[in-house]
Amino acid sequence: MDILKTIILAIVQGITEFLPISSSGHLVLFGKYLEPGGNPVLLSAFLHFGTLIAVVAVYWSDICKVVFKDRIIVAYLIIATIPAVVAGLLWKEWFEEIFARPNLIGYLLILTSVILLAGYVADKKIYQKKKLGWMRSLIIGIAQAAAILPGISRSGSTISAGLMCGLDRDKSARFAFLMAIPA
C-alpha cells in the first residue's frame, strides 16, 4: 500500500470523523480514486482506531467522570451499543459489500443530510428538553447501528436522534461521542 495515499486517507478520516458527515463514506470515495490497494475495510478499521485514540484523549475527563461518578450513563452506553453489535454480527458481509459500491454511498451521504435536517428541525420544535433514559438510549443506538453503512454519519445520526428524542444539543453531542468509544 502506498504510504502517501494512506496518509491522505488518514487526513480525510481525521477531518471527517468529527464533522456530521460520514468518515467511512468519504474514505471509500477517496479510496476509489486513490486506489491505495489492500483491504479497504481493514484500512478503515485502522483509521477509525486512530480516531478512537483521539476521542479518548479529548473526552478523558468525561470518561473518568462517567466511570467513577455517573454510572447510569455507562448503562445507557451499553444499551445504545447493543443495536450496533447485533447489526454488525447479523449483516457483516452485507455491510462490507457496500464498501465496494460508491454510487450507493453517494445516496447514503444525501440521506445523512436529511437526517441532519430532521435533527435541526426537531431541536427547534422541541422546547421542553428531556432526560436520556433507556428508551432514548436504545433509539440513539439504532441510529448508530444504521451508521455502520458508509455514507451515513455516525455522529450526525446519533446527535440528530438525540435531538429528535428531545435531548438538548450538549447532552446529545456528549452522549454521541461517548458512544463512539465502544462502537
Side-chain angles (χ1 to χ4, degrees), residues 1-2 6 9 24 27-28 31-32 35-48 92-93 95-100:
M1 183 178 294
D2 183 6
T6 304
L9 291 175
S24 296
L27 286 176
V28 170
K32 174 152 177 64
E35 297 178 355
N39 182 337
V41 176
L42 183 63
L43 175 61
S44 179
F46 275 111
L47 293 174
H48 278 86
K92 179 181 182 279
E93 292 81 21
F95 287 132
E96 289 176 355
E97 288 175 18
I98 292 175
F99 275 83

Short mmCIF file of all heavy atoms in Angstrom, two decimals, residues 1-2 6 9 24 27-28 31-32 35-48 92-93 95-100:
data_model
loop_
_atom_site.label_atom_id
_atom_site.label_comp_id
_atom_site.label_asym_id
_atom_site.label_seq_id
_atom_site.Cartn_x
_atom_site.Cartn_y
_atom_site.Cartn_z
N MET A 1 0.85 -1.18 0.00
CA MET A 1 0.00 0.00 0.00
C MET A 1 0.90 1.24 0.00
O MET A 1 1.84 1.33 0.74
CB MET A 1 -0.90 -0.03 1.23
CG MET A 1 -1.86 1.13 1.26
SD MET A 1 -2.97 1.08 2.67
CE MET A 1 -3.92 -0.35 2.29
N ASP A 2 0.56 2.18 -0.82
CA ASP A 2 1.34 3.40 -0.94
C ASP A 2 1.16 4.25 0.32
O ASP A 2 0.04 4.62 0.69
CB ASP A 2 0.88 4.15 -2.18
CG ASP A 2 1.68 5.40 -2.45
OD1 ASP A 2 2.67 5.67 -1.76
OD2 ASP A 2 1.31 6.12 -3.38
N THR A 6 -2.10 6.41 1.94
CA THR A 6 -2.60 6.08 3.28
C THR A 6 -2.63 7.33 4.16
O THR A 6 -3.58 7.54 4.91
CB THR A 6 -1.75 4.98 3.93
OG1 THR A 6 -1.74 3.84 3.06
CG2 THR A 6 -2.30 4.58 5.28
N LEU A 9 -5.59 9.39 3.18
CA LEU A 9 -6.82 8.82 3.73
C LEU A 9 -6.91 9.05 5.25
O LEU A 9 -8.00 9.27 5.77
CB LEU A 9 -6.92 7.33 3.39
CG LEU A 9 -7.17 7.02 1.91
CD1 LEU A 9 -7.13 5.52 1.67
CD2 LEU A 9 -8.49 7.60 1.45
N SER A 24 -16.47 7.14 6.96
CA SER A 24 -16.34 5.89 6.19
C SER A 24 -16.72 6.10 4.73
O SER A 24 -16.05 5.61 3.83
CB SER A 24 -17.21 4.79 6.79
OG SER A 24 -16.79 4.46 8.08
N LEU A 27 -13.97 7.96 3.09
CA LEU A 27 -12.81 7.08 2.89
C LEU A 27 -13.01 6.20 1.66
O LEU A 27 -12.08 6.00 0.87
CB LEU A 27 -12.57 6.21 4.12
CG LEU A 27 -11.97 6.88 5.33
CD1 LEU A 27 -11.90 5.90 6.50
CD2 LEU A 27 -10.60 7.45 5.02
N VAL A 28 -14.21 5.67 1.50
CA VAL A 28 -14.49 4.82 0.34
C VAL A 28 -14.36 5.64 -0.95
O VAL A 28 -13.73 5.20 -1.92
CB VAL A 28 -15.89 4.17 0.44
CG1 VAL A 28 -16.27 3.50 -0.87
CG2 VAL A 28 -15.93 3.18 1.59
N GLY A 31 -10.78 6.62 -1.44
CA GLY A 31 -10.05 5.39 -1.72
C GLY A 31 -10.25 4.89 -3.13
O GLY A 31 -9.35 4.34 -3.74
N LYS A 32 -11.46 5.09 -3.66
CA LYS A 32 -11.74 4.66 -5.03
C LYS A 32 -10.84 5.39 -6.02
O LYS A 32 -10.36 4.80 -6.98
CB LYS A 32 -13.21 4.90 -5.37
CG LYS A 32 -13.53 4.62 -6.83
CD LYS A 32 -14.94 4.20 -7.01
CE LYS A 32 -15.30 3.98 -8.46
NZ LYS A 32 -14.60 2.91 -9.12
N GLU A 35 -6.94 4.57 -4.98
CA GLU A 35 -6.61 3.15 -5.13
C GLU A 35 -5.38 2.78 -4.30
O GLU A 35 -4.34 2.43 -4.84
CB GLU A 35 -6.41 2.81 -6.60
CG GLU A 35 -7.65 3.02 -7.43
CD GLU A 35 -7.43 2.73 -8.92
OE1 GLU A 35 -6.30 2.47 -9.34
OE2 GLU A 35 -8.43 2.78 -9.64
N PRO A 36 -5.52 2.82 -2.96
CA PRO A 36 -4.36 2.54 -2.12
C PRO A 36 -3.99 1.06 -2.07
O PRO A 36 -2.93 0.71 -1.58
CB PRO A 36 -4.81 3.01 -0.73
CG PRO A 36 -6.29 2.85 -0.76
CD PRO A 36 -6.70 3.14 -2.18
N GLY A 37 -4.84 0.18 -2.58
CA GLY A 37 -4.57 -1.25 -2.52
C GLY A 37 -4.91 -1.80 -1.15
O GLY A 37 -5.32 -1.08 -0.26
N GLY A 38 -4.72 -3.08 -0.97
CA GLY A 38 -5.02 -3.70 0.32
C GLY A 38 -6.51 -3.84 0.55
O GLY A 38 -7.32 -3.68 -0.35
N ASN A 39 -6.87 -4.14 1.78
CA ASN A 39 -8.25 -4.35 2.17
C ASN A 39 -8.84 -3.03 2.66
O ASN A 39 -8.45 -2.53 3.71
CB ASN A 39 -8.30 -5.42 3.27
CG ASN A 39 -9.70 -5.74 3.72
OD1 ASN A 39 -10.63 -4.95 3.57
ND2 ASN A 39 -9.85 -6.92 4.28
N PRO A 40 -9.82 -2.44 1.93
CA PRO A 40 -10.35 -1.13 2.33
C PRO A 40 -11.09 -1.16 3.67
O PRO A 40 -11.05 -0.20 4.42
CB PRO A 40 -11.30 -0.75 1.19
CG PRO A 40 -11.62 -2.02 0.49
CD PRO A 40 -10.44 -2.93 0.69
N VAL A 41 -11.74 -2.29 3.99
CA VAL A 41 -12.44 -2.38 5.27
C VAL A 41 -11.43 -2.42 6.42
O VAL A 41 -11.61 -1.76 7.44
CB VAL A 41 -13.37 -3.62 5.30
CG1 VAL A 41 -14.03 -3.77 6.66
CG2 VAL A 41 -14.43 -3.52 4.19
N LEU A 42 -10.34 -3.16 6.24
CA LEU A 42 -9.30 -3.23 7.26
C LEU A 42 -8.63 -1.86 7.44
O LEU A 42 -8.40 -1.42 8.56
CB LEU A 42 -8.26 -4.29 6.88
CG LEU A 42 -7.13 -4.52 7.88
CD1 LEU A 42 -7.69 -5.03 9.21
CD2 LEU A 42 -6.13 -5.50 7.32
N LEU A 43 -8.33 -1.18 6.34
CA LEU A 43 -7.74 0.15 6.42
C LEU A 43 -8.67 1.09 7.16
O LEU A 43 -8.25 1.85 8.05
CB LEU A 43 -7.42 0.70 5.02
CG LEU A 43 -6.90 2.13 4.98
CD1 LEU A 43 -5.60 2.27 5.76
CD2 LEU A 43 -6.73 2.59 3.55
N SER A 44 -9.96 1.04 6.84
CA SER A 44 -10.94 1.89 7.52
C SER A 44 -10.96 1.59 9.02
O SER A 44 -11.02 2.51 9.84
CB SER A 44 -12.33 1.67 6.92
OG SER A 44 -13.28 2.45 7.57
N ALA A 45 -10.88 0.31 9.38
CA ALA A 45 -10.87 -0.06 10.80
C ALA A 45 -9.65 0.52 11.51
O ALA A 45 -9.77 1.06 12.63
CB ALA A 45 -10.89 -1.58 10.95
N PHE A 46 -8.48 0.46 10.88
CA PHE A 46 -7.28 1.02 11.49
C PHE A 46 -7.37 2.54 11.62
O PHE A 46 -6.97 3.11 12.63
CB PHE A 46 -6.02 0.64 10.70
CG PHE A 46 -5.47 -0.69 11.08
CD1 PHE A 46 -5.54 -1.76 10.20
CD2 PHE A 46 -4.89 -0.90 12.33
CE1 PHE A 46 -5.04 -3.00 10.55
CE2 PHE A 46 -4.39 -2.13 12.70
CZ PHE A 46 -4.46 -3.19 11.80
N LEU A 47 -7.91 3.19 10.60
CA LEU A 47 -8.06 4.64 10.65
C LEU A 47 -9.05 5.04 11.74
O LEU A 47 -8.85 6.03 12.45
CB LEU A 47 -8.47 5.20 9.29
CG LEU A 47 -7.41 5.05 8.19
CD1 LEU A 47 -7.98 5.48 6.84
CD2 LEU A 47 -6.15 5.84 8.53
N HIS A 48 -10.12 4.27 11.89
CA HIS A 48 -11.08 4.54 12.95
C HIS A 48 -10.48 4.29 14.33
O HIS A 48 -10.83 4.96 15.30
CB HIS A 48 -12.36 3.72 12.76
CG HIS A 48 -13.30 4.32 11.77
ND1 HIS A 48 -13.20 4.09 10.42
CD2 HIS A 48 -14.34 5.16 11.94
CE1 HIS A 48 -14.13 4.76 9.80
NE2 HIS A 48 -14.85 5.42 10.70
N LYS A 92 -22.79 -8.42 8.73
CA LYS A 92 -21.38 -8.07 8.50
C LYS A 92 -21.02 -8.10 7.02
O LYS A 92 -20.46 -7.15 6.48
CB LYS A 92 -20.49 -9.03 9.28
CG LYS A 92 -19.01 -8.80 9.09
CD LYS A 92 -18.21 -9.83 9.89
CE LYS A 92 -16.73 -9.61 9.77
NZ LYS A 92 -16.16 -10.13 8.57
N GLU A 93 -21.32 -9.20 6.33
CA GLU A 93 -20.95 -9.33 4.91
C GLU A 93 -21.66 -8.28 4.05
O GLU A 93 -21.07 -7.73 3.13
CB GLU A 93 -21.26 -10.74 4.39
CG GLU A 93 -20.39 -11.83 5.00
CD GLU A 93 -20.87 -12.29 6.37
OE1 GLU A 93 -22.07 -12.09 6.71
OE2 GLU A 93 -20.04 -12.85 7.12
N PHE A 95 -22.69 -5.30 5.00
CA PHE A 95 -22.05 -4.00 5.22
C PHE A 95 -20.74 -3.92 4.46
O PHE A 95 -20.43 -2.89 3.86
CB PHE A 95 -21.79 -3.76 6.72
CG PHE A 95 -23.03 -3.46 7.53
CD1 PHE A 95 -23.26 -4.12 8.73
CD2 PHE A 95 -23.95 -2.53 7.11
CE1 PHE A 95 -24.39 -3.85 9.48
CE2 PHE A 95 -25.09 -2.25 7.84
CZ PHE A 95 -25.31 -2.92 9.04
N GLU A 96 -19.96 -4.99 4.46
CA GLU A 96 -18.68 -4.99 3.75
C GLU A 96 -18.87 -4.84 2.25
O GLU A 96 -18.08 -4.18 1.59
CB GLU A 96 -17.90 -6.26 4.08
CG GLU A 96 -17.36 -6.28 5.49
CD GLU A 96 -16.67 -7.57 5.87
OE1 GLU A 96 -16.67 -8.53 5.07
OE2 GLU A 96 -16.10 -7.63 6.98
N GLU A 97 -19.93 -5.43 1.69
CA GLU A 97 -20.21 -5.30 0.26
C GLU A 97 -20.49 -3.85 -0.13
O GLU A 97 -20.14 -3.41 -1.23
CB GLU A 97 -21.40 -6.17 -0.13
CG GLU A 97 -21.11 -7.65 -0.13
CD GLU A 97 -22.34 -8.49 -0.40
OE1 GLU A 97 -23.35 -7.94 -0.92
OE2 GLU A 97 -22.31 -9.68 -0.09
N ILE A 98 -21.12 -3.11 0.76
CA ILE A 98 -21.48 -1.73 0.46
C ILE A 98 -20.22 -0.87 0.32
O ILE A 98 -20.21 0.11 -0.42
CB ILE A 98 -22.46 -1.18 1.52
CG1 ILE A 98 -23.78 -1.93 1.36
CG2 ILE A 98 -22.66 0.31 1.39
CD1 ILE A 98 -24.82 -1.63 2.38
N PHE A 99 -19.14 -1.25 1.00
CA PHE A 99 -17.89 -0.51 0.86
C PHE A 99 -17.39 -0.51 -0.59
O PHE A 99 -16.59 0.33 -0.97
CB PHE A 99 -16.82 -1.09 1.79
CG PHE A 99 -16.86 -0.55 3.18
CD1 PHE A 99 -17.74 -1.06 4.10
CD2 PHE A 99 -16.02 0.48 3.56
CE1 PHE A 99 -17.79 -0.56 5.39
CE2 PHE A 99 -16.06 1.00 4.84
CZ PHE A 99 -16.94 0.47 5.77
N ALA A 100 -17.84 -1.45 -1.39
CA ALA A 100 -17.42 -1.54 -2.79
C ALA A 100 -18.41 -0.88 -3.74
O ALA A 100 -18.28 -1.01 -4.95
CB ALA A 100 -17.24 -3.02 -3.17
#
